[in-house]
Amino acid sequence: MARPKPEAFNKVKTVAENRRARYDFFIDDKYEAGIVLTGTEVKSLRFGEGSIAESYAELRDDQVWLINANIPEFSHGNRNNHEPKRPRKLLLNIREINKLHGAVMRQGMTLVPLSIYFNGRGRAKVELALAKGKKAPDKRATEKERDWKREQGRIMRDRG
């Protein structure tokens, strides 16, 4: 029998985060996916290098791929070093892939990577989200709400 997955992903070390995604998209469902990496890519990530700011995930022949994620070449790597922006395969359960495929095809949603991190067992994972794009008025509303929350915090701090 499989081990039950914890409610929140137990992130130990976050390597890269896509902070812009929460501003540009309405986040619906989150998934934890493994990522197929070469040795020098893992070493580069362990040094805290890597960026997923302009990356996205796509479905190709029943597989999920991380596109445009930048993991720079390992500084002490030799001629067998990796290509920084190569497509990387994400490891998901077939049921999860089918669910993602249905949402992307039918509902017009997007697969957005939110972060790359190492879990408690030292495995590199990608936090993947099903998201729907925001229009300009939605972004303004989000910004307005964030400013109001910040102002509320200031008022409460000044009172106490």
PDB file of all heavy atoms in Angstrom, residues 128-154:
ATOM      1  N   LEU A 128       3.789  22.219  -9.171  1.00  0.00           N
ATOM      2  CA  LEU A 128       3.123  22.555 -10.420  1.00  0.00           C
ATOM      3  C   LEU A 128       1.689  22.954 -10.109  1.00  0.00           C
ATOM      4  O   LEU A 128       1.042  22.329  -9.274  1.00  0.00           O
ATOM      5  CB  LEU A 128       3.152  21.320 -11.320  1.00  0.00           C
ATOM      6  CG  LEU A 128       2.939  21.473 -12.802  1.00  0.00           C
ATOM      7  CD1 LEU A 128       4.032  22.337 -13.403  1.00  0.00           C
ATOM      8  CD2 LEU A 128       2.951  20.115 -13.465  1.00  0.00           C
ATOM      9  N   ALA A 129       1.187  23.989 -10.769  1.00  0.00           N
ATOM     10  CA  ALA A 129      -0.176  24.450 -10.503  1.00  0.00           C
ATOM     11  C   ALA A 129      -0.979  24.514 -11.792  1.00  0.00           C
ATOM     12  O   ALA A 129      -0.467  24.880 -12.846  1.00  0.00           O
ATOM     13  CB  ALA A 129      -0.143  25.831  -9.858  1.00  0.00           C
ATOM     14  N   LEU A 130      -2.252  24.144 -11.676  1.00  0.00           N
ATOM     15  CA  LEU A 130      -3.213  24.379 -12.749  1.00  0.00           C
ATOM     16  C   LEU A 130      -3.712  25.795 -12.533  1.00  0.00           C
ATOM     17  O   LEU A 130      -4.192  26.127 -11.451  1.00  0.00           O
ATOM     18  CB  LEU A 130      -4.387  23.405 -12.625  1.00  0.00           C
ATOM     19  CG  LEU A 130      -4.416  22.225 -13.552  1.00  0.00           C
ATOM     20  CD1 LEU A 130      -5.607  21.363 -13.236  1.00  0.00           C
ATOM     21  CD2 LEU A 130      -4.376  22.600 -14.987  1.00  0.00           C
ATOM     22  N   ALA A 131      -3.594  26.639 -13.520  1.00  0.00           N
ATOM     23  CA  ALA A 131      -3.912  28.047 -13.318  1.00  0.00           C
ATOM     24  C   ALA A 131      -4.683  28.614 -14.504  1.00  0.00           C
ATOM     25  O   ALA A 131      -4.603  28.105 -15.616  1.00  0.00           O
ATOM     26  CB  ALA A 131      -2.629  28.842 -13.114  1.00  0.00           C
ATOM     27  N   LYS A 132      -5.423  29.661 -14.239  1.00  0.00           N
ATOM     28  CA  LYS A 132      -6.165  30.373 -15.280  1.00  0.00           C
ATOM     29  C   LYS A 132      -5.633  31.806 -15.300  1.00  0.00           C
ATOM     30  O   LYS A 132      -5.463  32.422 -14.247  1.00  0.00           O
ATOM     31  CB  LYS A 132      -7.652  30.351 -14.960  1.00  0.00           C
ATOM     32  CG  LYS A 132      -8.519  30.709 -16.128  1.00  0.00           C
ATOM     33  CD  LYS A 132      -9.843  29.960 -16.007  1.00  0.00           C
ATOM     34  CE  LYS A 132     -10.703  30.160 -17.209  1.00  0.00           C
ATOM     35  NZ  LYS A 132     -10.355  29.291 -18.321  1.00  0.00           N
ATOM     36  N   GLY A 133      -5.371  32.326 -16.473  1.00  0.00           N
ATOM     37  CA  GLY A 133      -4.772  33.661 -16.599  1.00  0.00           C
ATOM     38  C   GLY A 133      -5.672  34.772 -16.096  1.00  0.00           C
ATOM     39  O   GLY A 133      -6.892  34.711 -16.229  1.00  0.00           O
ATOM     40  N   LYS A 134      -5.063  35.792 -15.528  1.00  0.00           N
ATOM     41  CA  LYS A 134      -5.801  36.970 -15.062  1.00  0.00           C
ATOM     42  C   LYS A 134      -5.776  38.034 -16.143  1.00  0.00           C
ATOM     43  O   LYS A 134      -4.800  38.185 -16.868  1.00  0.00           O
ATOM     44  CB  LYS A 134      -5.149  37.566 -13.810  1.00  0.00           C
ATOM     45  CG  LYS A 134      -5.354  36.785 -12.554  1.00  0.00           C
ATOM     46  CD  LYS A 134      -4.742  37.550 -11.387  1.00  0.00           C
ATOM     47  CE  LYS A 134      -4.871  36.781 -10.105  1.00  0.00           C
ATOM     48  NZ  LYS A 134      -4.245  37.502  -8.970  1.00  0.00           N
ATOM     49  N   LYS A 135      -6.840  38.799 -16.222  1.00  0.00           N
ATOM     50  CA  LYS A 135      -6.892  39.956 -17.108  1.00  0.00           C
ATOM     51  C   LYS A 135      -6.400  41.173 -16.317  1.00  0.00           C
ATOM     52  O   LYS A 135      -6.239  41.115 -15.102  1.00  0.00           O
ATOM     53  CB  LYS A 135      -8.331  40.175 -17.579  1.00  0.00           C
ATOM     54  CG  LYS A 135      -8.960  38.954 -18.230  1.00  0.00           C
ATOM     55  CD  LYS A 135      -9.010  39.138 -19.723  1.00  0.00           C
ATOM     56  CE  LYS A 135      -9.764  38.055 -20.440  1.00  0.00           C
ATOM     57  NZ  LYS A 135      -9.207  36.729 -20.386  1.00  0.00           N
ATOM     58  N   ALA A 136      -6.178  42.287 -17.001  1.00  0.00           N
ATOM     59  CA  ALA A 136      -5.637  43.497 -16.356  1.00  0.00           C
ATOM     60  C   ALA A 136      -6.481  43.970 -15.169  1.00  0.00           C
ATOM     61  O   ALA A 136      -5.924  44.309 -14.113  1.00  0.00           O
ATOM     62  CB  ALA A 136      -5.469  44.610 -17.377  1.00  0.00           C
ATOM     63  N   PRO A 137      -7.829  44.010 -15.265  1.00  0.00           N
ATOM     64  CA  PRO A 137      -8.614  44.450 -14.100  1.00  0.00           C
ATOM     65  C   PRO A 137      -8.448  43.526 -12.892  1.00  0.00           C
ATOM     66  O   PRO A 137      -8.428  43.994 -11.753  1.00  0.00           O
ATOM     67  CB  PRO A 137     -10.061  44.410 -14.592  1.00  0.00           C
ATOM     68  CG  PRO A 137      -9.985  44.485 -16.065  1.00  0.00           C
ATOM     69  CD  PRO A 137      -8.689  43.833 -16.439  1.00  0.00           C
ATOM     70  N   ASP A 138      -8.308  42.230 -13.140  1.00  0.00           N
ATOM     71  CA  ASP A 138      -8.102  41.288 -12.044  1.00  0.00           C
ATOM     72  C   ASP A 138      -6.775  41.555 -11.347  1.00  0.00           C
ATOM     73  O   ASP A 138      -6.673  41.492 -10.121  1.00  0.00           O
ATOM     74  CB  ASP A 138      -8.110  39.843 -12.560  1.00  0.00           C
ATOM     75  CG  ASP A 138      -9.449  39.460 -13.175  1.00  0.00           C
ATOM     76  OD1 ASP A 138     -10.480  39.971 -12.704  1.00  0.00           O
ATOM     77  OD2 ASP A 138      -9.446  38.653 -14.121  1.00  0.00           O
ATOM     78  N   LYS A 139      -5.750  41.871 -12.128  1.00  0.00           N
ATOM     79  CA  LYS A 139      -4.437  42.159 -11.561  1.00  0.00           C
ATOM     80  C   LYS A 139      -4.492  43.426 -10.706  1.00  0.00           C
ATOM     81  O   LYS A 139      -3.892  43.490  -9.638  1.00  0.00           O
ATOM     82  CB  LYS A 139      -3.395  42.323 -12.665  1.00  0.00           C
ATOM     83  CG  LYS A 139      -3.077  41.035 -13.387  1.00  0.00           C
ATOM     84  CD  LYS A 139      -2.060  41.275 -14.468  1.00  0.00           C
ATOM     85  CE  LYS A 139      -1.824  40.021 -15.282  1.00  0.00           C
ATOM     86  NZ  LYS A 139      -0.865  40.221 -16.351  1.00  0.00           N
ATOM     87  N   ARG A 140      -5.229  44.431 -11.203  1.00  0.00           N
ATOM     88  CA  ARG A 140      -5.360  45.671 -10.432  1.00  0.00           C
ATOM     89  C   ARG A 140      -6.085  45.410  -9.118  1.00  0.00           C
ATOM     90  O   ARG A 140      -5.718  45.950  -8.072  1.00  0.00           O
ATOM     91  CB  ARG A 140      -6.104  46.725 -11.249  1.00  0.00           C
ATOM     92  CG  ARG A 140      -5.233  47.401 -12.283  1.00  0.00           C
ATOM     93  CD  ARG A 140      -5.882  48.659 -12.819  1.00  0.00           C
ATOM     94  NE  ARG A 140      -7.076  48.376 -13.589  1.00  0.00           N
ATOM     95  CZ  ARG A 140      -7.107  48.146 -14.898  1.00  0.00           C
ATOM     96  NH1 ARG A 140      -5.985  48.165 -15.588  1.00  0.00           N
ATOM     97  NH2 ARG A 140      -8.242  47.912 -15.517  1.00  0.00           N
ATOM     98  N   ALA A 141      -7.115  44.579  -9.151  1.00  0.00           N
ATOM     99  CA  ALA A 141      -7.861  44.251  -7.934  1.00  0.00           C
ATOM    100  C   ALA A 141      -6.968  43.520  -6.934  1.00  0.00           C
ATOM    101  O   ALA A 141      -7.018  43.784  -5.726  1.00  0.00           O
ATOM    102  CB  ALA A 141      -9.081  43.409  -8.274  1.00  0.00           C
ATOM    103  N   THR A 142      -6.147  42.606  -7.436  1.00  0.00           N
ATOM    104  CA  THR A 142      -5.223  41.868  -6.573  1.00  0.00           C
ATOM    105  C   THR A 142      -4.233  42.828  -5.914  1.00  0.00           C
ATOM    106  O   THR A 142      -3.961  42.736  -4.719  1.00  0.00           O
ATOM    107  CB  THR A 142      -4.447  40.808  -7.389  1.00  0.00           C
ATOM    108  OG1 THR A 142      -5.381  39.936  -8.003  1.00  0.00           O
ATOM    109  CG2 THR A 142      -3.505  40.018  -6.511  1.00  0.00           C
ATOM    110  N   GLU A 143      -3.716  43.765  -6.706  1.00  0.00           N
ATOM    111  CA  GLU A 143      -2.764  44.744  -6.178  1.00  0.00           C
ATOM    112  C   GLU A 143      -3.422  45.641  -5.130  1.00  0.00           C
ATOM    113  O   GLU A 143      -2.834  45.938  -4.087  1.00  0.00           O
ATOM    114  CB  GLU A 143      -2.221  45.584  -7.334  1.00  0.00           C
ATOM    115  CG  GLU A 143      -0.883  46.190  -7.045  1.00  0.00           C
ATOM    116  CD  GLU A 143      -0.256  46.770  -8.296  1.00  0.00           C
ATOM    117  OE1 GLU A 143      -0.145  46.049  -9.300  1.00  0.00           O
ATOM    118  OE2 GLU A 143       0.106  47.962  -8.245  1.00  0.00           O
ATOM    119  N   LYS A 144      -4.653  46.043  -5.406  1.00  0.00           N
ATOM    120  CA  LYS A 144      -5.396  46.891  -4.478  1.00  0.00           C
ATOM    121  C   LYS A 144      -5.629  46.167  -3.150  1.00  0.00           C
ATOM    122  O   LYS A 144      -5.461  46.746  -2.071  1.00  0.00           O
ATOM    123  CB  LYS A 144      -6.742  47.249  -5.118  1.00  0.00           C
ATOM    124  CG  LYS A 144      -7.438  48.435  -4.545  1.00  0.00           C
ATOM    125  CD  LYS A 144      -8.665  48.728  -5.387  1.00  0.00           C
ATOM    126  CE  LYS A 144      -9.259  50.045  -5.068  1.00  0.00           C
ATOM    127  NZ  LYS A 144     -10.440  50.323  -5.873  1.00  0.00           N
ATOM    128  N   GLU A 145      -5.996  44.894  -3.243  1.00  0.00           N
ATOM    129  CA  GLU A 145      -6.234  44.085  -2.044  1.00  0.00           C
ATOM    130  C   GLU A 145      -4.959  43.904  -1.241  1.00  0.00           C
ATOM    131  O   GLU A 145      -4.959  44.008  -0.013  1.00  0.00           O
ATOM    132  CB  GLU A 145      -6.783  42.717  -2.465  1.00  0.00           C
ATOM    133  CG  GLU A 145      -7.198  41.843  -1.308  1.00  0.00           C
ATOM    134  CD  GLU A 145      -7.762  40.526  -1.785  1.00  0.00           C
ATOM    135  OE1 GLU A 145      -8.452  40.496  -2.818  1.00  0.00           O
ATOM    136  OE2 GLU A 145      -7.487  39.519  -1.111  1.00  0.00           O
ATOM    137  N   ARG A 146      -3.838  43.670  -1.938  1.00  0.00           N
ATOM    138  CA  ARG A 146      -2.555  43.495  -1.252  1.00  0.00           C
ATOM    139  C   ARG A 146      -2.145  44.783  -0.532  1.00  0.00           C
ATOM    140  O   ARG A 146      -1.677  44.756   0.602  1.00  0.00           O
ATOM    141  CB  ARG A 146      -1.495  43.074  -2.272  1.00  0.00           C
ATOM    142  CG  ARG A 146      -0.181  42.698  -1.623  1.00  0.00           C
ATOM    143  CD  ARG A 146       0.839  42.226  -2.630  1.00  0.00           C
ATOM    144  NE  ARG A 146       1.155  43.276  -3.579  1.00  0.00           N
ATOM    145  CZ  ARG A 146       1.169  43.122  -4.905  1.00  0.00           C
ATOM    146  NH1 ARG A 146       0.878  41.967  -5.437  1.00  0.00           N
ATOM    147  NH2 ARG A 146       1.477  44.135  -5.694  1.00  0.00           N
ATOM    148  N   ASP A 147      -2.347  45.933  -1.189  1.00  0.00           N
ATOM    149  CA  ASP A 147      -2.018  47.219  -0.558  1.00  0.00           C
ATOM    150  C   ASP A 147      -2.882  47.467   0.670  1.00  0.00           C
ATOM    151  O   ASP A 147      -2.407  47.984   1.686  1.00  0.00           O
ATOM    152  CB  ASP A 147      -2.195  48.367  -1.563  1.00  0.00           C
ATOM    153  CG  ASP A 147      -1.130  48.346  -2.645  1.00  0.00           C
ATOM    154  OD1 ASP A 147      -0.110  47.646  -2.465  1.00  0.00           O
ATOM    155  OD2 ASP A 147      -1.332  49.020  -3.677  1.00  0.00           O
ATOM    156  N   TRP A 148      -4.167  47.086   0.581  1.00  0.00           N
ATOM    157  CA  TRP A 148      -5.077  47.275   1.710  1.00  0.00           C
ATOM    158  C   TRP A 148      -4.656  46.399   2.883  1.00  0.00           C
ATOM    159  O   TRP A 148      -4.661  46.839   4.031  1.00  0.00           O
ATOM    160  CB  TRP A 148      -6.518  46.982   1.306  1.00  0.00           C
ATOM    161  CG  TRP A 148      -7.462  46.918   2.465  1.00  0.00           C
ATOM    162  CD1 TRP A 148      -8.238  45.876   2.829  1.00  0.00           C
ATOM    163  CD2 TRP A 148      -7.701  47.943   3.433  1.00  0.00           C
ATOM    164  NE1 TRP A 148      -8.951  46.179   3.957  1.00  0.00           N
ATOM    165  CE2 TRP A 148      -8.643  47.449   4.354  1.00  0.00           C
ATOM    166  CE3 TRP A 148      -7.216  49.224   3.624  1.00  0.00           C
ATOM    167  CZ2 TRP A 148      -9.102  48.188   5.436  1.00  0.00           C
ATOM    168  CZ3 TRP A 148      -7.678  49.966   4.706  1.00  0.00           C
ATOM    169  CH2 TRP A 148      -8.614  49.452   5.592  1.00  0.00           C
ATOM    170  N   LYS A 149      -4.247  45.160   2.621  1.00  0.00           N
ATOM    171  CA  LYS A 149      -3.782  44.254   3.690  1.00  0.00           C
ATOM    172  C   LYS A 149      -2.535  44.834   4.361  1.00  0.00           C
ATOM    173  O   LYS A 149      -2.393  44.791   5.585  1.00  0.00           O
ATOM    174  CB  LYS A 149      -3.450  42.868   3.123  1.00  0.00           C
ATOM    175  CG  LYS A 149      -4.625  42.106   2.613  1.00  0.00           C
ATOM    176  CD  LYS A 149      -5.299  41.362   3.718  1.00  0.00           C
ATOM    177  CE  LYS A 149      -6.375  40.478   3.115  1.00  0.00           C
ATOM    178  NZ  LYS A 149      -7.388  40.110   4.057  1.00  0.00           N
ATOM    179  N   ARG A 150      -1.642  45.389   3.557  1.00  0.00           N
ATOM    180  CA  ARG A 150      -0.429  46.001   4.101  1.00  0.00           C
ATOM    181  C   ARG A 150      -0.784  47.202   4.982  1.00  0.00           C
ATOM    182  O   ARG A 150      -0.224  47.384   6.059  1.00  0.00           O
ATOM    183  CB  ARG A 150       0.482  46.432   2.946  1.00  0.00           C
ATOM    184  CG  ARG A 150       1.870  46.815   3.393  1.00  0.00           C
ATOM    185  CD  ARG A 150       2.773  47.145   2.242  1.00  0.00           C
ATOM    186  NE  ARG A 150       2.986  46.006   1.377  1.00  0.00           N
ATOM    187  CZ  ARG A 150       2.938  46.040   0.052  1.00  0.00           C
ATOM    188  NH1 ARG A 150       2.688  47.168  -0.575  1.00  0.00           N
ATOM    189  NH2 ARG A 150       3.151  44.962  -0.659  1.00  0.00           N
ATOM    190  N   GLU A 151      -1.728  48.008   4.515  1.00  0.00           N
ATOM    191  CA  GLU A 151      -2.180  49.175   5.283  1.00  0.00           C
ATOM    192  C   GLU A 151      -2.835  48.740   6.595  1.00  0.00           C
ATOM    193  O   GLU A 151      -2.616  49.365   7.637  1.00  0.00           O
ATOM    194  CB  GLU A 151      -3.158  49.999   4.429  1.00  0.00           C
ATOM    195  CG  GLU A 151      -3.519  51.347   5.010  1.00  0.00           C
ATOM    196  CD  GLU A 151      -2.324  52.276   5.162  1.00  0.00           C
ATOM    197  OE1 GLU A 151      -1.410  52.236   4.322  1.00  0.00           O
ATOM    198  OE2 GLU A 151      -2.314  53.049   6.144  1.00  0.00           O
ATOM    199  N   GLN A 152      -3.647  47.679   6.534  1.00  0.00           N
ATOM    200  CA  GLN A 152      -4.275  47.151   7.753  1.00  0.00           C
ATOM    201  C   GLN A 152      -3.214  46.749   8.772  1.00  0.00           C
ATOM    202  O   GLN A 152      -3.357  47.026   9.969  1.00  0.00           O
ATOM    203  CB  GLN A 152      -5.116  45.910   7.427  1.00  0.00           C
ATOM    204  CG  GLN A 152      -6.524  46.209   7.006  1.00  0.00           C
ATOM    205  CD  GLN A 152      -7.289  44.915   6.745  1.00  0.00           C
ATOM    206  OE1 GLN A 152      -6.715  43.935   6.277  1.00  0.00           O
ATOM    207  NE2 GLN A 152      -8.568  44.930   7.039  1.00  0.00           N
ATOM    208  N   GLY A 153      -2.166  46.081   8.294  1.00  0.00           N
ATOM    209  CA  GLY A 153      -1.079  45.664   9.179  1.00  0.00           C
ATOM    210  C   GLY A 153      -0.417  46.856   9.846  1.00  0.00           C
ATOM    211  O   GLY A 153      -0.116  46.823  11.044  1.00  0.00           O
ATOM    212  N   ARG A 154      -0.205  47.925   9.070  1.00  0.00           N
ATOM    213  CA  ARG A 154       0.390  49.153   9.644  1.00  0.00           C
ATOM    214  C   ARG A 154      -0.512  49.758  10.705  1.00  0.00           C
ATOM    215  O   ARG A 154      -0.037  50.176  11.758  1.00  0.00           O
ATOM    216  CB  ARG A 154       0.612  50.181   8.533  1.00  0.00           C
ATOM    217  CG  ARG A 154       1.889  50.004   7.811  1.00  0.00           C
ATOM    218  CD  ARG A 154       2.226  51.232   6.980  1.00  0.00           C
ATOM    219  NE  ARG A 154       3.039  50.794   5.875  1.00  0.00           N
ATOM    220  CZ  ARG A 154       2.687  50.792   4.609  1.00  0.00           C
ATOM    221  NH1 ARG A 154       1.504  51.242   4.248  1.00  0.00           N
ATOM    222  NH2 ARG A 154       3.498  50.353   3.679  1.00  0.00           N
TER     223      ARG A 154
END
